[in-house]
Amino acid sequence: MKNWILKTTLALATAVTGWSAETIDTTGLQAELASWAGDKPGAVIALVIDGDARGIATAGRWSAEDERLADEHTLFEIGSISKVFTALLTATAVQDGVLAWDEPVAGGFAPSTITYADLATHMSGLPRLPTDFPSLDLVDPYAISDVAEVQRAFAANAPEAEQGTWAYSNLGAAVLGQAVAAELKMSYEDAVRARVLQPLGMTETVMSGLEKLDTAKLAPGFNSAGPAARWRFDGYAPAGAWISSAADMERFMRGLMAAEEPWASTMEVQAETDGPYAMGYGWMIHDVAGESVKGHAGGTGGYRSFVGIQPATGRGIVVLGARDEDVAGIGLGWLQGLFDGAVKSTDEPVVLEDFVGEYPLAPQFVISVFLQDGQLRAQATGQPSFGLKAAGADAFAFEGVAARLSFERDDDGAVTGLVLHQGGRDMPAPRRDASEVKQETKGIELAPAQLEGLAGDYELAPTLIVSITVDRGQVFAQLTGQARYPVYAKAPDRFFYDVVEAELEFQRDETGAVTGLVLHQAGQHIPGKKR
């Protein structure tokens, strides 16, 4: 592998020595970070590049008691950006003839027809996590899942996987990284360090593990309940275990901008999805302001991250936040020029409740539109939610995404569907109300009075909260650091998920008031008191 490392290192050295003293104006970006930070604890930093120029914006504070700002050497958990590192590692093994993208995964995993390419593009059909995921600790969910558990989960789930169907999978990413490392006869950590980080000059990036980390440099993470526990990944390390800094991620962006094979092909479209982006190997490929953006977001218990590069223009951004609130919108927003006023709101009065509902673009890809703290938000299957800004009659622009929604009404004025406008495509979706969702998932219908009092926050642990909301008769649950999912009634006060084998059972006092709930999952029964 010496040839490709030498080329990449030389390209990076040229970029490093050619960095200009020119500074990018980050005034608008700084305002966005300040808005994200608000008055809550949690540091956030963004580093942008445009050719040789660079700029940095930073906001928030280290903790409630410490007003320090993050700098470019501050460390953050980067979560699923780790999947890009894993794909780059795989590309080096392909280049060296150790394996091929189109051959079935090996490395000690059960025989199947699932290929390395399927895993790197999320086309394996494997679930996000096994339905019998064994975590006994919802605060640190991956800690007890070693490589043997990943192998067991693959053997159990591969026979049922709908290969060729796009489904974002942490299990698939874990299988990919551990299988490639085994074929290279190295540990996953050592393989990534030798074949990805060292060639890019990324000396500050480390893998999750308290014994390996200078915690004084790590920004403490937070969630809605307060300080968040750090996540350990073990067997699932290839899906989200890396920790990095803005400075190292700048080296990453500049190195990938200049990369030749085997990394250049990871940024090419390798698979189409039902969603608003295509897949490279590890990368999600968006069309932003007419240019292709190669990017990925990440999230762990108390951190959010985003990296996006436009090789054709030389522009890129990394945003690292130490709180469980999305930053991908900030990154994509900067790339599309949103902070310069490119998307303008309207003064026309809007009844936001009219638009709340579920809109399936495809059987497995649904846009959920909901109200949160008085703002309309949209969340597509497997993605974070984004705020919506009014952009005309029945039209909204996404905050930080190069896309907009226009809603359609019938003759009586009722909203019947929407059209997602993104990447030059217009993708219609009919409206699906809560009763249709319940019918599809075999949930029973409850009267509005039976749903009263369910909404609220329930504390499973000091840093783990289940937030329950009710929109148009549909109940939703959101666990700290996770996406918002619908839950369906199987009995009064008993609801089930359709994305994981888990149930919520609400508890009432003698007056009928809801006082708490119990999460039933993986043989555990975890009570949570209503706040």
Side-chain angles (χ1 to χ4, degrees):
M1 68 180 199
K2 293 181 179 178
N3 288 340
W4 73 262
I5 287 183
L6 179 61
K7 290 178 181 178
T8 304
T9 305
L10 288 176
L12 179 62
T14 301
V16 170
T17 57
W19 286 353
S20 167
E22 182 181 354
T23 300
I24 299 170
D25 182 0
T26 58
T27 303
L29 184 59
Q30 181 67 49
E32 287 297 314
L33 295 191
S35 176
W36 181 94
D39 59 358
K40 302 176 184 177
V44 62
I45 187 169
L47 189 151
V48 294
I49 59 175
D50 189 346
D52 291 338
R54 70 198 295 261
I56 295 175
T58 184
R61 57 182 188 270
W62 205 257
S63 69
E65 300 79 23
D66 188 341
E67 296 188 359
R68 275 185 297 161
L69 294 170
D71 62 30
E72 61 186 291
H73 302 292
T74 300
L75 297 175
F76 296 79
E77 293 184 5
I78 61 172
S80 287
I81 293 175
S82 303
K83 293 179 174 69
V84 180
F85 293 4
T86 299
L88 298 179
L89 170 66
T90 308
T92 70
V94 171
Q95 177 84 350
D96 290 347
V98 176
L99 52 88
W101 284 114
D102 60 357
E103 68 184 29
V105 64
F109 285 82
S112 74
T113 59
I114 293 174
T115 67
Y116 293 98
D118 290 333
L119 297 171
T121 57
H122 298 285
M123 298 296 287
S124 68
L126 292 171
R128 178 181 285 266
L129 288 171
T131 54
D132 59 347
F133 187 58
S135 177
L136 302 179
D137 185 353
L138 295 175
V139 176
D140 188 8
Y142 297 94
I144 65 170
S145 296
D146 58 13
V147 176
E149 166 55 28
V150 176
Q151 291 173 329
R152 182 209 64 80
F154 180 76
N157 286 269
E160 305 299 324
E162 296 182 13
Q163 194 174 351
T165 300
W166 188 85
Y168 189 85
S169 178
N170 286 329
L171 171 59
V175 171
L176 177 63
Q178 299 296 357
V180 171
E183 289 296 297
L184 291 169
K185 298 179 172 54
M186 304 174 72
S187 72
Y188 169 74
E189 180 178 5
D190 288 345
V192 171
R193 187 167 303 284
R195 288 173 164 256
V196 178
L197 303 182
Q198 289 178 0
L200 291 172
M202 297 174 67
T203 59
E204 298 179 350
T205 301
V206 296
M207 206 164 81
S208 180
L210 293 174
E211 71 284 356
K212 303 172 185 175
L213 183 65
D214 181 354
T215 54
K217 295 181 180 179
L218 177 71
F222 295 87
N223 57 36
S224 59
R230 293 215 23 247
W231 282 8
R232 296 163 294 168
F233 284 84
D234 203 348
Y236 278 81
W242 290 98
I243 294 171
S244 193
S245 65
D248 252 14
M249 292 304 296
E250 179 179 15
R251 297 180 182 101
F252 175 81
M253 291 191 291
R254 292 189 182 278
L256 269 293
M257 292 274 198
E260 301 179 3
E261 292 298 350
W263 290 346
S265 59
T266 67
M267 295 181 283
E268 298 172 357
V269 173
Q270 303 293 343
E272 298 289 345
T273 75
D274 292 332
Y277 49 78
M279 286 300 306
Y281 290 135
W283 296 94
M284 294 178 176
I285 301 175
H286 306 253
D287 184 291
V288 175
E291 297 289 348
S292 178
V293 169
K294 330 297 181 179
H296 211 295
T300 57
Y303 299 85
R304 292 294 182 269
S305 57
F306 175 80
V307 63
I309 59 174
Q310 286 180 322
T313 66
R315 301 177 76 231
I317 181 170
V318 60
V319 189
L320 304 174
R323 199 165 69 225
D324 65 340
E325 296 182 19
D326 173 65
V327 298
I330 296 173
L332 288 168
W334 183 81
L335 289 168
Q336 74 178 105
L338 181 66
F339 308 141
D340 297 325
V343 178
K344 298 185 182 298
S345 62
T346 176
D347 293 329
E348 298 177 15
V350 179
V351 181
L352 299 180
E353 289 81 359
D354 288 352
F355 308 104
V356 172
E358 304 272 321
Y359 301 83
L361 287 169
Q364 301 300 320
F365 194 80
V366 178
I367 295 178
S368 175
V369 178
F370 59 96
L371 278 170
Q372 182 174 321
D373 297 329
Q375 182 187 27
L376 202 64
R377 300 185 69 83
Q379 182 174 25
T381 301
Q383 299 183 20
S385 68
F386 293 94
L388 299 175
K389 292 183 178 179
D394 292 342
F396 295 83
F398 283 82
E399 292 181 336
V401 179
R404 61 187 179 88
L405 297 176
S406 59
F407 290 85
E408 300 175 330
R409 297 180 184 265
D410 61 19
D411 292 340
D412 296 324
V415 173
T416 58
L418 61 72
V419 179
L420 171 65
H421 308 277
Q422 187 171 32
R425 295 196 296 168
D426 302 312
M427 296 166 274
R431 184 177 191 168
R432 183 174 69 176
D433 64 27
S435 63
E436 292 177 289
V437 175
K438 290 187 178 74
Q439 184 177 8
E440 289 179 7
T441 57
K442 298 183 175 61
I444 65 171
E445 185 170 358
L446 299 179
Q450 294 174 290
L451 302 178
E452 290 182 3
L454 300 185
D457 293 332
Y458 298 79
E459 183 177 320
L460 300 178
T463 60
L464 190 66
I465 307 298
V466 178
S467 296
I468 302 296
T469 54
V470 181
D471 287 336
R472 297 173 64 89
Q474 175 63 58
V475 180
F476 294 87
Q478 184 170 20
L479 198 66
T480 299
Q482 298 184 15
R484 174 180 182 259
Y485 293 110
V487 292
Y488 309 101
K490 62 185 297 184
D493 293 338
R494 184 102 181 194
F495 294 77
F496 66 93
Y497 289 83
D498 66 350
V499 295
V500 67
E501 289 187 1
E503 295 185 4
L504 297 174
E505 181 180 6
F506 291 89
Q507 299 174 319
R508 298 178 184 268
D509 63 18
E510 61 275 6
T511 69
V514 177
T515 58
L517 59 72
V518 178
L519 170 64
H520 304 280
Q521 186 176 20
Q524 300 294 297
H525 310 286
I526 307 169
K529 184 178 180 181
K530 188 176 184 181
R531 288 180 162 184

